[in-house]
Amino acid sequence: MAPRVAVLPGDGIGREVVPEAVALLQGLGPGIEFEFFDVDADRYLRTGVALPPEIFRRLEQADAIFLGAIGDPRVGDAAYQASVLGHLRTVFDLYANVRPARLLDESLSPLRHPRRRMDLVVLRENTEGLYAGMGARYRPGSDQEVAIVHHYNTYAGVTRILEYAFAIARREVCMVDKWNAMPESGALWHARFRAVAERHPGIRARHLMVDAAAAHLVRDPGQFDVIVTENCFGDILSDLAGELAGGIGMAPSGNFNPAGRRALFEPVHGSAPDIAGRGVANPVAAIRTGGMLLQHLGFEAAARALEAAVVAAIRAGERTRDLGGNLSTAEAAAAIGRRLRRGG
Ligand code: NAD
Ligand code: IPM
Ligand code: MN
């Protein structure tokens, strides 16, 4: 049966970059059926529900979900984003958020002296940590207010993300936490890290504190292979890694559960309200996210061809403004499309 992909462009630049990416994918994954759904702030403001049950059922049946970005300045409450992105990650138990950051060309690095090739993955635990939704607000709005967020980590959750890290690593796993300030979760992560690392003697195991990891990333991003960390640290470090690899307009991501059939693909960036509606957003993150989707569905050669076309276009200077070029979203995507047809 032809794979079915549910497409949720979402808000802001999601609506600009996702259709461009899907147009390229249509020529590459023969037979993939793409079905678009309006799960966005307009629907939320109109009806109070962003993801109604009838659309959710379609997402459940899809082989993969391709999401642009959720977030709109007209919506003030975090519940909206949680009801889409957070909900899908949790309800499908997509615990492994894979966020690769590869420097495609040295000219893209914001560093003065990029020292080595950069090709790493930030592997973000996606269902626990500071994002588990556990906490409370007491006496809100008063000068007696108390706000609590629990840092939730389980033996099973930590073990499976560490196993995933060793499974995708080529040479090293660097586990990042903050045990000196958060010793309870730190103890669990360290104990499980030692145990899992022992099962993978061929892969180096290293630990860094999250603050030091941020500094190391800027000093020499080429040293890393897989960085595995809890949800919130992973969110932050993946923007940092994306920016070091040229900008978050280039950074793709996939959310996986290897035991399940489902996966959710989304660029690392958000809806970028500051540039939305102007046709200037970089479509590369969405296009490379489409590449991860192709790979997941088994179209490996097509995924490689797409990445090669992106690299060729970038190196030829066919770039949007964020990368120092002057192409619009549609022109940048079209340039990649031309190189795809030419084979590089
Ligand atoms: P953002 O990632 O949307 O933007 C950060 C900066 O990067 C902005 O200056 C933006 O213009 C720029 N940028 C982002 N993507 C770009 C692209 N493709 N091309 C060129 N420039 C790009 O982060 P934000 O401003 O903090 O968030 C905006 C909204 O998006 C918020 O509501 C936030 O919660 C949401 N968000 C959603 C997701 C998601 O759905 N996956 C991810 C991150 C943020
Ligand atoms: C991301 C985003 C989300 C997150 C927001 C929108 C809640 O920043 O996917 O990186 O932090 O998970
Ligand atoms: Mn983020």
Side-chain angles (χ1 to χ4, degrees):
M1 263 216 335
R4 288 193 30 242
V5 176
V7 184
L8 280 52
D11 299 313
I13 63 166
R15 300 153 103 103
E16 301 168 37
V17 295
V18 165
E20 295 293 348
V22 171
L24 287 180
L25 297 183
Q26 247 146 1
L28 279 172
I32 302 179
E33 283 172 26
F34 293 94
E35 197 178 354
F36 282 71
F37 297 96
D38 296 328
V39 171
D40 50 34
D42 287 344
R43 179 190 291 275
Y44 184 72
L45 290 169
R46 206 174 56 241
T47 68
V49 178
L51 183 54
E54 61 277 14
I55 297 185
F56 179 74
R57 275 194 292 278
R58 306 297 288 270
L59 303 188
E60 271 187 310
Q61 288 154 9
D63 295 293
I65 301 168
F66 188 4
L67 179 121
I70 297 292
D72 185 302
R74 292 171 299 166
V75 182
D77 59 290
Y80 162 53
Q81 294 181 23
S83 74
V84 183
L85 192 56
H87 181 63
L88 292 174
R89 287 172 178 161
T90 310
V91 78
F92 295 144
D93 200 22
L94 303 172
Y95 67 84
N97 186 191
V98 175
R99 298 191 148 182
R102 183 164 82 94
L103 185 63
L104 303 183
D105 187 75
E106 226 178 78
S107 68
L108 296 171
S109 175
L111 301 178
R112 226 170 356 183
H113 305 294
R115 298 217 315 229
R116 277 194 264 160
R117 245 174 100 249
M118 170 184 182
D119 187 5
L120 61 84
V121 168
V122 175
L123 177 62
R124 165 184 181 188
E125 202 296 319
N126 223 15
T127 55
E128 304 191 339
L130 284 166
Y131 278 55
M134 299 171 79
R137 244 181 116 185
Y138 300 101
R139 302 182 286 275
S142 80
D143 60 4
Q144 304 289 305
E145 178 163 353
V146 177
I148 298 170
V149 177
H150 290 292
H151 192 214
Y152 172 84
N153 298 268
T154 66
Y155 180 102
V158 173
T159 305
R160 67 182 183 174
I161 195 67
L162 291 172
E163 284 288 2
Y164 198 99
F166 281 93
I168 63 170
R170 288 161 298 183
R171 55 183 170 82
E172 183 195 84
V173 172
C174 180
M175 191 273 275
V176 166
D177 71 357
K178 186 70 185 167
W179 71 260
N180 52 359
M182 298 154 89
E184 297 80 7
S185 53
L188 176 59
W189 275 81
H190 273 264
R192 298 316 300 145
F193 189 49
R194 275 193 302 275
V196 175
E198 257 171 38
R199 294 202 278 267
H200 301 273
I203 301 287
R204 202 164 96 89
R206 181 160 67 122
H207 167 260
L208 284 174
M209 230 69 86
V210 64
D211 45 357
H216 273 276
L217 263 170
V218 174
R219 187 180 310 147
D220 179 17
Q223 69 184 280
F224 291 105
D225 177 11
V226 173
I227 295 173
V228 61
T229 189
E230 74 88 47
N231 214 330
C232 187
F233 297 158
D235 178 46
I236 297 165
L237 292 182
S238 57
D239 262 41
L240 176 56
E243 208 53 43
L244 289 168
I248 51 172
M250 315 252 302
S253 123
N255 303 266
F256 302 96
N257 179 334
R261 192 177 50 93
R262 294 192 190 88
L264 163 69
F265 297 86
E266 32 135 19
V268 169
H269 66 70
S271 56
D274 55 340
I275 56 165
R278 287 160 39 196
V280 297
N282 191 343
V284 168
I287 290 169
R288 296 175 82 205
T289 297
M292 291 180 77
L293 168 75
L294 284 176
Q295 201 177 4
H296 177 71
L297 294 177
F299 299 101
E300 268 117 27
R304 275 195 302 276
L306 185 60
E307 182 77 352
V310 167
V311 173
I314 293 290
R315 291 198 176 143
E318 294 162 353
R319 303 178 182 188
T320 43
R321 295 185 331 176
D322 52 312
L323 304 183
N326 57 14
L327 299 189
S328 68
T329 306
E331 288 164 345
I336 293 167
R338 273 194 299 280
R339 291 189 178 268
L340 206 46
R341 288 188 291 278
R342 259 195 267 154

